[in-house]
Amino acid sequence: MNKLLLQDNDSNLFEDVYTHVKQSAEMLGSSGAALFIIHNDKVVIESYFGKQSNAKHARDVKADTQFHIASVRKSYIGFAAAYAIHNGYFSIDDPIRCFVEDSYLPAYEGVTIRHLLTHTHGLRIADGKLVSEYKPGESWAYRGPSIELLSTIIKKTTGKSVADIVKEHVIEPVGFESTEWVKMSQPHSKIAGTIRDADNHLWTETDVVDGSGMNMYVSAKELAMLGYLHLTEGKWGGKQIIPREIIQMATSIQTPDPSLLIHKNGFLWFVKDTNHIFNQIGDTVPKGSYQLLGYTNVALLIIPEENVVAVRMFNRYGSTEGYDYLKDIRSFGDTVYKCSIKESKTQ
């Protein structure tokens, strides 16, 4: 894996992105951060700074430091779903009632796999019960039940967990060593401690390592390499190790009604369409780019038009008062795009 891309040490045209990430780390109160950018098949920035935690003798952030990637883990779940569909285990517009134990629940009425993958399912938990807040496909909301359902349906139909599929078709073929679901009761020294408010109710810990839980830790380099594998549509080292159709399916707009004024998604990826005030991807970033953002402020951005993959990593769960995550992540994307254009003009 290390020999796949050439390090381009002569390039400093992405320095503005480095500055942006350092400033974001300071605003967030993150103890450490990382930045990894691939452009035109070369590593143009690989930077690590700070400590893995605020502990007195904390380890420096290094190339093998693994950060909690929060919702960016959905890129792996989206891949597993695309794998299952490509191999005929289910279809994107199959009703989920065909696969769930409690299919009698009214909330499942009309919900399909496509709705789960594009956050248009309308399912939410209220007072401990699963309810529907809108008719499937008619709106958009970022809710948890879809991820649990997708993980369950993938396991039930393929006989393999999300983690099994990712290990077999991504981690092992590529040779990743710093991508894993960690038993939270058994952390190791390469894991960055996650700085968080003690009363943050969203934080959960689990020892389940089947890919369904929020316990995925990845190094900046390997997250960028995952992005690069998507950018090349499944090619690695000159070989097509993943069918192109799987990647294309996962990263193109799959939202049931793209004309609606809502976020557009592929297989959980946010895909750039037109500019709206609620977009997570910057206004200047071109159409067809795609991104995932985690609650630890980790981001994986891919801009096919400029042949660029950008990853930023922090170890701050949530944010500090006054930090505007939407403004910051959009500015990050715009800065990456601006620098990639400058880089292209010099070549």
Side-chain angles (χ1 to χ4, degrees):
M1 184 183 74
N2 293 333
K3 297 179 180 178
L4 181 65
L5 301 173
L6 295 175
Q7 183 83 35
D8 185 5
N9 292 320
D10 296 328
S11 173
N12 63 357
L13 294 176
F14 284 86
E15 196 170 329
D16 285 350
V17 185
Y18 174 82
T19 300
H20 190 284
V21 169
K22 288 212 74 171
Q23 290 174 344
S24 296
E26 292 170 3
M27 286 190 294
L28 286 163
S30 178
S31 69
L35 172 65
F36 201 105
I37 299 178
I38 302 167
H39 186 229
N40 290 333
D41 307 309
K42 290 184 179 181
V43 178
V44 292
I45 278 193
E46 182 179 4
S47 296
Y48 308 98
F49 40 92
K51 300 285 186 176
Q52 287 187 177
S53 74
N54 285 325
K56 185 176 181 180
H57 300 293
R59 187 174 184 262
D60 289 340
V61 172
K62 301 178 181 180
D64 62 357
T65 297
Q66 293 169 234
F67 290 83
H68 188 295
I69 64 169
S71 286
V72 176
R73 71 190 176 96
K74 292 171 185 176
S75 59
Y76 301 87
I77 296 171
F79 171 83
Y83 161 86
I85 291 172
H86 178 75
N87 287 285
Y89 290 104
F90 52 79
S91 297
I92 189 171
D93 289 313
D94 281 346
I96 65 170
R97 275 186 158 168
C98 297
F99 310 105
V100 294
E101 298 278 337
D102 47 356
S103 59
Y104 60 89
L105 291 179
Y108 290 136
E109 179 66 35
V111 179
T112 67
I113 299 291
R114 184 187 298 274
H115 294 133
L116 298 182
L117 290 166
T118 59
H119 305 293
T120 56
H121 48 82
L123 301 172
R124 67 186 291 258
I125 303 295
D127 297 325
K129 296 180 180 180
L130 187 70
V131 300
S132 178
E133 59 181 320
Y134 57 80
K135 187 176 180 181
E138 292 191 353
S139 190
W140 185 100
Y142 201 67
R143 308 292 190 201
S146 59
I147 302 305
E148 298 167 13
L149 284 166
L150 281 170
S151 299
T152 299
I153 291 168
I154 290 167
K155 179 67 179 293
K156 185 174 183 178
T157 55
T158 68
K160 300 176 183 179
S161 68
V162 168
D164 291 334
I165 293 169
V166 171
K167 286 176 183 177
E168 181 180 349
H169 297 280
V170 178
I171 293 176
E172 292 177 354
V174 175
F176 285 165
E177 298 177 346
S178 301
T179 298
E180 61 180 321
W181 290 267
V182 174
K183 290 186 177 181
M184 300 296 277
S185 65
Q186 301 173 23
H188 54 73
S189 63
K190 295 177 182 178
I191 291 175
T194 305
I195 298 169
R196 63 189 189 277
D197 298 333
D199 60 350
N200 192 317
H201 68 283
L202 297 175
W203 176 259
T204 60
E205 295 188 356
T206 180
D207 280 353
V208 175
V209 292
D210 63 2
S212 64
M214 292 187 287
N215 57 335
M216 194 171 193
Y217 287 78
V218 185
S219 69
K221 180 176 184 176
E222 292 192 3
L223 187 59
M225 292 300 177
L226 177 76
Y228 185 69
L229 186 59
H230 281 69
L231 179 66
T232 62
E233 296 187 333
K235 284 187 177 180
W236 193 263
K239 297 180 180 179
Q240 192 77 42
I241 67 169
I242 296 169
R244 181 178 290 105
E245 295 79 8
I246 287 179
I247 304 298
Q248 290 175 338
M249 192 189 313
T251 59
S252 58
I253 293 175
Q254 301 291 350
T255 300
D257 184 358
S259 68
L260 292 177
L261 192 63
I262 58 175
H263 287 287
K264 305 301 186 299
N265 293 94
F267 281 21
L268 301 171
W269 288 94
F270 287 82
V271 182
K272 179 66 179 290
D273 184 19
T274 54
N275 288 328
H276 300 296
I277 59 171
F278 52 74
N279 280 355
Q280 291 185 354
I281 304 178
D283 286 348
T284 64
V285 177
K287 185 176 180 178
S289 302
Y290 48 99
Q291 175 180 267
L292 275 169
L293 173 67
Y295 198 60
T296 45
N297 301 284
V298 170
L300 169 56
L301 171 64
I302 301 167
I303 307 176
E305 184 175 299
E306 284 299 317
N307 198 29
V308 66
V309 176
V311 164
R312 72 176 198 179
M313 304 287 241
F314 304 110
N315 66 332
R316 178 66 162 91
Y317 192 75
S319 57
T320 51
E321 186 176 351
Y323 172 78
D324 186 336
Y325 94 90
L326 192 56
K327 179 181 178 181
D328 186 58
I329 190 59
R330 291 171 67 172
S331 176
F332 171 74
D334 285 334
T335 306
V336 170
Y337 180 59
K338 177 188 70 176
C339 292
S340 67
I341 293 174
K342 287 182 181 179
E343 176 87 353
S344 296
K345 288 179 178 178
T346 66
Q347 297 176 355

